[in-house]
Amino acid sequence: MKLSHFLIVSTLALTACNPSGKGDGHLVILHTNDTHSAIEPDRHDKGGIVRRKALVDSVRAAHPDVLLIDAGDAVQGSLYYTLFGGEVERKMMNNLGYDIQILGNHEFDKGLDALAREWKQLNADRLSTNYDMTGTPLEGLFVPSVVKEADGKKIGFIGINLNPAGIISADNYKGVKYEDAVQAANAEAARLKKDEKADMVIAVTHIGYSNDKDYDDLKLAAASRDIDVIIGGHSHTVVNSADTTTPTWRVPNADGDTISVLQTGSSGTYLGEIDIDLNTRNVKARLIPVDKRLDDRLDSEAEAIIAPYRAKVDSMRAIEIGTTPYEFGRKSPEMLNLLSDFVMMRGAELCGKPVDIAIMNKGGIRSDLAAGTITQGEIIDIAPFDNSIVVTEIKGKDLLDNLAVMATQDGNGVSGNVRVLYDPETKKLNSATIDGKPIDPGKVYRLATIDYLAAGNDYMTPLTRGNIIARSNEVLYQILIDYISQDRINNLLANPDKTNRMTFM
């Protein structure tokens, strides 16, 4: 189906933010992105969806026209998703009263049938401007735009999704057709202003604030004329209008005007608030911390929804499997090195031969490992994806090509016998060695990794040129749980490696 036809035949909803009709000349938009199943506060006591509800309720009580919007990746990252497949997140987002939701890449993690089953039960308007879902289980669930009326003004909303190729497993979005993000956004934004007489257009996106792979919020802003505000997600960028050390929130569009580009980071530790003066179109923005100061206002109904699920989550988090004398931070070299070395160890056992190199991705690590007792639930939180470990035979040239891709990502995980140097400015690969020897383009190497990467995801397309020779029956987190339970990686836990194995000269 052609993009133009897709936009024309889709319906447009016109609803009022404030049924009483008594406005104050302002529209307040509350927004979240990449909350990643963070139902409970994190180990630093930040976030928590019931706390978020307390904030949302207080803002709604103070303003007549309020919208609550999510920019994708509301799921994946904790036991609540691993065990219940999005059910808890969906119930809670309905309870909070989200008005608009769009898809992130992780909404596809359990496939189209599971995604359709959950999203059919959402109360929010579901937007997707640049996915054609004809013939898939998602057909009919999404519209390309919606218009909300606030104090006599019409505000149009569009939903812009990322290119799934290279980031979502192919089988999980089979049949969904991606349309050019900027072309689709500009076409629908122009239509909303011309045909629907929208006074403003807001793009809700899941393409990242800034990236080198595809379109991002900055590129969309620079190419747009009819978009007034961009509410983004995917890159986990904290954009704080009050803090000049964070990325800028006011950027030029194609006409040289400045428009607002906003994002809240990740894991629900902030709630974004945008205050729009509907008469002047002036935008004010801030990030509101979600923390323990809200605990005296928690909603009993919301708590009751979570309670039966929490019991099972807590039971898994109580199963002790080992100990570690050190903390492994989610984004630390120690954690990336630990998992890379573990994958190499398991890979060698799978194929019954030494493995030359292991590769892991930073994005596959979703939580910290605290010092002290290790529980089964902690390990699943750290690596919640249904990935198996595979061993491939791959030519040195293809391996070098893939390490070059990893250099553009500012490095990723490699086993301890590997060192990679790249240029910090150009992100070009300078050198790569295995056991101190330069990788030979003509030699065949045995590589241990996860099947998600071997299939070319996280943009590691060169890995698809390898030939898989061994595969685990269990998913990575179950293997890791078994290894820790059997004291098989005590040495890795007791001797964290802080080395940046991929680094710049």
Side-chain angles (χ1 to χ4, degrees):
M1 183 177 290
K2 297 293 186 183
L3 177 64
S4 58
H5 182 50
F6 173 54
L7 296 176
I8 291 169
V9 299
S10 297
T11 59
L12 180 80
L14 177 60
T15 58
C17 304
N18 171 23
S20 71
K22 297 178 180 179
D24 62 359
H26 287 254
L27 170 63
V28 175
I29 297 175
L30 303 176
H31 60 102
T32 54
N33 60 272
D34 300 279
T35 51
H36 285 298
S37 301
I39 302 299
E40 309 284 7
D42 64 21
R43 57 190 295 263
H44 303 293
D45 204 22
K46 303 295 185 182
I49 197 166
V50 183
R51 288 173 173 173
R52 191 193 316 160
K53 185 177 185 347
L55 271 180
V56 170
D57 289 347
S58 68
V59 174
R60 284 182 174 139
H63 299 278
D65 289 302
V66 178
L67 291 173
L68 179 58
I69 294 173
D70 185 72
D73 275 6
V75 298
Q76 187 61 275
S78 83
L79 278 169
Y80 281 96
Y81 185 70
T82 305
L83 295 176
F84 307 112
E87 180 179 320
V88 186
E89 296 85 341
R90 179 253 305 164
K91 286 184 176 181
M92 288 304 301
M93 294 179 89
N94 281 346
N95 179 259
L96 266 69
Y98 273 82
D99 296 285
I100 292 172
Q101 290 182 235
I102 72 166
L103 294 164
N105 48 297
H106 285 292
E107 268 75 25
F108 289 87
D109 279 0
K110 293 190 180 295
L112 291 178
D113 289 330
L115 174 55
R117 183 172 60 250
E118 288 301 326
W119 278 57
K120 282 177 182 176
Q121 301 175 74
L122 286 177
N123 296 334
D125 290 313
R126 301 172 291 264
L127 300 187
S128 181
T129 309
N130 65 316
Y131 281 171
D132 181 349
M133 303 173 186
T134 306
T136 76
L138 302 181
E139 184 174 2
L141 289 180
F142 293 82
V143 292
S145 60
V146 65
V147 174
K148 302 286 186 179
E149 187 172 331
D151 204 19
K153 304 293 185 182
K154 291 182 178 181
I155 314 298
F157 294 86
I158 60 177
I160 303 301
N161 305 111
L162 52 67
N163 187 341
I167 192 68
I168 301 174
S169 295
D171 287 343
N172 289 354
Y173 70 93
K174 188 175 182 180
V176 175
K177 299 178 181 64
Y178 170 79
E179 306 288 357
D180 181 277
V182 170
Q183 178 184 336
N186 283 338
E188 185 66 358
R191 192 189 72 80
L192 286 171
K193 287 196 169 178
K194 179 181 178 182
D195 297 343
E196 305 300 329
K197 310 303 180 188
D199 296 283
M200 296 181 71
V201 172
I202 296 174
V204 186
T205 74
H206 196 85
I207 56 178
Y209 179 86
S210 176
N211 66 68
D212 298 325
K213 296 296 178 186
D214 208 334
Y215 293 125
D216 55 42
D217 290 335
L218 295 182
K219 296 184 183 74
L220 175 59
S224 69
R225 288 185 167 85
D226 296 298
I227 296 171
D228 300 281
V229 177
I230 296 174
I231 298 172
H234 185 54
S235 56
H236 299 191
T237 308
V238 176
V239 182
N240 187 347
S241 65
D243 184 354
T244 58
T245 65
T246 71
T248 182
W249 71 290
R250 298 288 285 166
V251 301
N253 70 358
D255 288 330
D257 298 327
T258 55
I259 67 172
S260 304
V261 179
L262 298 156
Q263 196 177 146
T264 67
S266 67
S267 302
T269 56
Y270 290 106
L271 178 68
E273 181 186 79
I274 305 168
D275 186 320
I276 302 173
D277 186 318
L278 294 169
N279 295 311
T280 66
R281 300 186 188 178
N282 183 52
V283 175
K284 296 180 180 178
R286 64 172 177 152
L287 293 180
I288 310 173
V290 181
D291 55 31
K292 64 182 180 182
R293 79 187 192 284
L294 301 161
D295 287 350
D296 62 346
R297 307 182 243 164
L298 299 185
D299 182 75
S300 59
E301 180 184 345
E303 286 280 12
I305 293 172
I306 297 172
Y309 301 100
R310 180 184 289 135
K312 187 168 183 179
V313 167
D314 287 348
S315 69
M316 292 199 69
R317 287 181 175 154
I319 301 173
E320 298 181 6
I321 59 173
T323 61
T324 174
Y326 297 100
E327 176 174 333
F328 291 77
R330 173 188 171 186
K331 297 182 179 181
S332 69
E334 295 95 315
M335 177 68 88
L336 193 57
N337 293 341
L338 170 69
L339 290 183
S340 299
D341 292 342
F342 154 71
V343 167
M344 186 174 190
M345 181 186 302
R346 180 56 181 154
E349 292 176 352
L350 285 170
C351 68
K353 303 173 185 177
V355 168
D356 299 299
I357 178 175
I359 288 175
M360 269 297 293
N361 60 327
K362 293 179 289 190
I365 303 170
R366 311 306 293 192
S367 186
D368 303 329
L369 178 63
T373 300
I374 303 172
T375 70
Q376 188 175 108
E378 278 184 290
I379 298 304
I380 298 174
D381 280 342
I382 288 167
F385 305 101
D386 294 333
N387 297 321
S388 61
I389 297 175
V390 298
V391 179
T392 72
E393 290 183 339
I394 187 168
K395 289 183 178 180
K397 179 185 181 304
D398 300 323
L399 191 54
L400 287 167
D401 287 346
N402 198 74
L403 292 172
V405 171
M406 293 163 65
T408 68
Q409 302 166 341
D410 285 322
N412 251 302
V414 293
S415 47
N417 63 326
V418 177
R419 292 293 182 272
V420 178
L421 293 176
Y422 60 93
D423 187 294
E425 298 296 330
T426 65
K427 303 295 177 68
K428 298 290 187 182
L429 197 65
N430 286 324
S431 67
T433 62
I434 295 176
D435 297 321
K437 299 178 181 179
I439 294 175
D440 181 350
K443 181 179 175 180
V444 174
Y445 293 88
R446 279 188 291 274
L447 161 71
T449 188
I450 54 175
D451 56 353
Y452 174 76
L453 299 182
N457 292 305
D458 258 11
Y459 308 106
M460 297 191 192
T461 306
L463 293 189
T464 62
R465 304 170 201 156
N467 176 45
I468 294 177
I469 61 172
R471 181 189 298 269
S472 67
N473 294 321
E474 307 84 7
V475 296
L476 183 144
Y477 65 73
Q478 185 58 58
I479 303 169
L480 186 53
I481 288 169
D482 292 342
Y483 270 52
I484 295 172
S485 301
Q486 298 163 16
D487 300 328
R488 298 179 65 184
I489 60 168
N490 283 354
N491 185 54
L492 296 178
L493 293 169
N495 298 281
D497 184 358
K498 300 180 180 181
T499 306
N500 285 309
R501 298 168 179 176
M502 287 194 71
T503 188
F504 47 82
M505 295 186 68

